[in-house]
Amino acid sequence: MYTVYKFGGASIKDVENIKNVGNILLSYTEGSLIIVFSAMGKVTNMLENVVEVYTQRSSDPFAALQKVKDFHYEIINNLFHKNHIIFDEVNNLFVEIEWVLENEPSSNYSYNYDQIVSVGEFLSTKIMSAYLEKVKFKNKWIDARDLIRTDNTYRDAKIDWEVSVSCIQNQIKYKHCITQGFLGCTSENFTTTLGREGSDFTAAILAFALDADKVIIWKDVPGMMNADPKHFTDAELLEQVSFDEAIELAFYGAKVIHPKTIQPLKKKQIPLHIKSFLHPLMKGSEIKEGIIKKPEMSSLIVKDNQILISISDTSLAFIVEMHISMIFSILAKHGIGVNLMQNSAVSFSICVDNDKYKVPALLNDLKESFDVFYNDDLRLYTLRHYTDITTNELLKGKEIILEQKSRNTLQIVVKH
Ligand code: ASP
Ligand code: MG
């Protein structure tokens, strides 16, 4: 039976952390592992910059790529002897990207994005696989494109579950396997990505297909917290969270796990552990069927870079079903999810992530049929299982633009 491990960018951001991951794996003595890696450190952001420069032609994409090269060469120079085969492998991956950059970009931004950004995961897994072999952790490197089949919604590819499950079951037959998170492949063999932070989702897909006994996501935080510990020093660890509550928390933007991760695990009742790679012996959090949260407390989630869009009929008619259905089909066309919505007699307001590519196009489309006003640079707070105390604390001193309350959830949009 397999256990699935997922290591994110922070866990392999430098030589010291890479060695730490090696130690965690060497101390594993139970069964078989599938190990999913993200790109190292902030490499995905660096590659996004390459795509940006390449598609906008704003400056030299080769110079932007050079930063990614320097980062990886510094690491492998430190980890391997000069004539180790990894130098050729890393070189070849960069040559492939240089070929892409020499050609005209396709008019499909997201397609360009996936072909370039995916190299981050190929680099990290090649390097990790070679390093782990070096320290005598035997493993098999597997191309995620042979495992995860998707449609061609680049940057947000949808999984073809049937094909993926059978590919995974056929390909995974080694004791310990290493593969890339975040990546998939279309039936025409083009590389796709599953959305930022999608490596968690990859771990869940693999666990689902293999009926794994558990998934462990190794993070730079002690586990799932009741608030983001990077912003709230008094954040507390949740020892246990139910699948349903974890889905809610991830949906509202808790960054600790990708929102799509939980559903496949819940379907197969595969527990998910979130543990600190810095303190591997600590228990961390466990997400499984059962009590909602242990200990019981409010959870606070903060989402920045929000835009609140108010939409009304050009002749100020009442907002009726027809308007709302039109608004939602425009949102669907642009692939934009709504974080919060509210309607009054003559206007319909939505709060969405202010994606710099998607939102301008959305606004243009909406303006063709509606009067549109918006307010950007906003912050959305979501408080789950709020109490009077936590609510008062949250509202204190804030300029509230919109507020919504249900039995379990309080959301407010504020000026940042
Ligand atoms: N490397 C990708 C990202 O940074 C995927 C991941 O980390 O899960 O978004
Ligand atoms: Mg990451």
Side-chain angles (χ1 to χ4, degrees):
M1 181 174 274
Y2 280 100
T3 296
V4 182
Y5 274 15
K6 182 259 169 170
F7 290 97
S11 67
I12 49 171
K13 74 175 195 310
D14 54 27
V15 169
E16 194 190 340
N17 280 10
I18 289 172
K19 289 184 176 166
N20 174 56
V21 167
N23 291 336
I24 291 177
L25 292 172
L26 285 169
S27 70
Y28 179 84
T29 50
E30 289 149 54
S32 290
L33 288 178
I34 319 264
I35 309 153
V36 175
F37 288 103
S38 308
M40 293 175 162
K42 295 272 176 252
V43 164
T44 304
N45 293 354
M46 291 159 85
L47 288 164
E48 283 188 340
N49 180 246
V50 175
V51 180
E52 184 96 14
V53 169
Y54 167 61
T55 53
Q56 316 265 317
R57 298 163 194 286
S58 48
S59 64
D60 180 14
F62 291 93
L65 185 66
Q66 189 59 42
K67 294 197 187 121
V68 185
K69 284 184 162 182
D70 293 345
F71 176 89
H72 288 91
Y73 280 114
E74 151 112 40
I75 287 181
I76 57 176
N77 278 327
N78 268 296
L79 287 176
F80 301 95
H81 195 271
K82 273 199 301 301
N83 39 32
H84 193 284
I85 185 170
I86 190 68
F87 286 89
D88 286 339
E89 289 181 318
V90 166
N91 233 344
N92 292 341
L93 287 168
F94 282 120
V95 168
E96 276 179 44
I97 297 305
E98 282 161 354
W99 283 341
V100 174
L101 297 182
E102 270 157 24
N103 291 317
E104 285 291 299
S106 141
S107 58
N108 181 344
Y109 171 84
S110 300
Y111 169 81
N112 295 315
Y113 179 103
D114 285 3
Q115 307 321 303
I116 294 173
V117 166
S118 53
V119 79
E121 270 69 14
F122 289 120
L123 287 161
S124 68
T125 50
K126 281 283 180 196
I127 295 171
M128 288 310 298
S129 173
Y131 172 71
L132 291 167
E133 281 289 331
K134 193 185 139 192
V135 296
K136 305 264 172 335
F137 181 86
K138 250 187 99 42
N139 66 86
K140 171 86 180 159
W141 183 91
I142 298 184
D143 192 325
R145 291 172 298 190
D146 296 331
L147 304 175
I148 312 269
R149 172 68 60 81
T150 69
D151 71 358
N152 62 359
T153 317
Y154 296 104
R155 271 178 86 200
D156 190 20
K158 304 290 173 293
I159 307 298
D160 179 332
W161 284 92
E162 218 178 291
V163 175
S164 301
V165 165
S166 95
C167 288
I168 294 165
Q169 288 173 349
N170 291 330
Q171 301 280 328
I172 303 282
K173 44 184 177 234
Y174 308 90
K175 183 158 167 66
H176 299 317
C177 302
I178 287 185
T179 195
Q180 308 81 49
F182 180 52
L183 307 186
C185 189
T186 67
S187 56
E188 276 124 17
N189 261 325
F190 290 113
T191 308
T192 53
T193 66
L194 311 180
R196 285 301 307 259
E197 306 302 330
S199 299
D200 294 353
F201 186 33
T202 303
I205 299 166
L206 294 169
F208 177 93
L210 296 166
D211 287 312
D213 65 341
K214 65 178 170 222
V215 175
I216 301 185
I217 296 185
W218 297 89
K219 305 275 303 182
D220 55 356
V221 289
M224 196 165 208
M225 314 290 283
N226 76 328
D228 184 345
K230 288 182 185 117
H231 296 110
F232 299 90
T233 46
D234 55 354
E236 286 180 65
L237 179 73
L238 298 166
E239 286 161 42
Q240 196 185 320
V241 181
S242 70
F243 283 123
D244 290 344
E245 182 60 11
I247 289 173
E248 295 286 340
L249 294 173
F251 169 80
Y252 287 119
K255 288 199 195 72
V256 69
I257 27 173
H258 186 281
K260 291 182 188 161
T261 311
I262 310 291
Q263 258 122 354
L265 300 179
K266 177 179 152 87
K267 258 194 212 148
K268 292 253 175 127
Q269 295 290 311
I270 300 169
L272 168 63
H273 296 249
I274 299 171
K275 281 167 71 94
S276 162
F277 59 77
L278 297 169
H279 306 285
L281 298 177
M282 276 170 45
K283 271 195 83 184
S285 307
E286 185 174 12
I287 297 166
K288 61 177 180 192
E289 209 64 81
I291 47 179
I292 299 176
K293 254 191 261 185
K294 180 177 152 211
E296 255 178 61
M297 54 182 144
S298 308
S299 297
L300 177 64
I301 298 145
V302 184
K303 263 194 154 197
D304 278 329
N305 194 28
Q306 299 294 299
I307 178 167
L308 184 67
I309 308 172
S310 293
I311 305 156
S312 42
D313 187 276
T314 45
S315 53
L316 272 188
F318 287 134
I319 289 285
V320 292
E321 298 72 19
M322 185 194 65
H323 297 107
I324 296 177
S325 109
M326 218 169 130
I327 292 167
F328 273 93
S329 61
I330 297 174
L331 283 164
K333 174 178 152 202
H334 292 275
I336 294 182
V338 176
N339 296 329
L340 180 67
M341 62 185 140
Q342 204 163 67
N343 69 321
S344 72
V346 292
S347 91
F348 188 71
S349 300
I350 51 171
C351 181
V352 304
D353 294 348
N354 198 358
D355 181 297
K356 66 177 168 190
Y357 298 100
K358 293 179 178 177
V359 169
L362 168 79
L363 292 172
N364 278 339
D365 252 11
L366 286 170
K367 280 177 191 161
E368 281 185 16
S369 320
F370 301 98
D371 277 341
V372 178
F373 298 95
Y374 64 85
N375 208 333
D376 58 5
D377 201 18
L378 301 176
R379 177 176 270 183
L380 171 65
Y381 286 99
T382 303
L383 192 58
R384 287 277 296 165
H385 304 115
Y386 55 85
T387 62
D388 286 348
I389 300 170
T390 50
T391 305
N392 291 340
E393 187 65 26
L394 178 63
L395 300 183
K396 209 162 55 192
K398 300 213 166 63
E399 188 192 326
I400 297 169
I401 297 190
L402 196 89
E403 182 177 341
Q404 203 171 77
K405 222 173 188 177
S406 71
R407 197 154 52 89
N408 290 323
T409 312
L410 166 72
Q411 292 193 289
I412 59 169
V413 179
V414 302
K415 255 250 108 24
H416 196 170

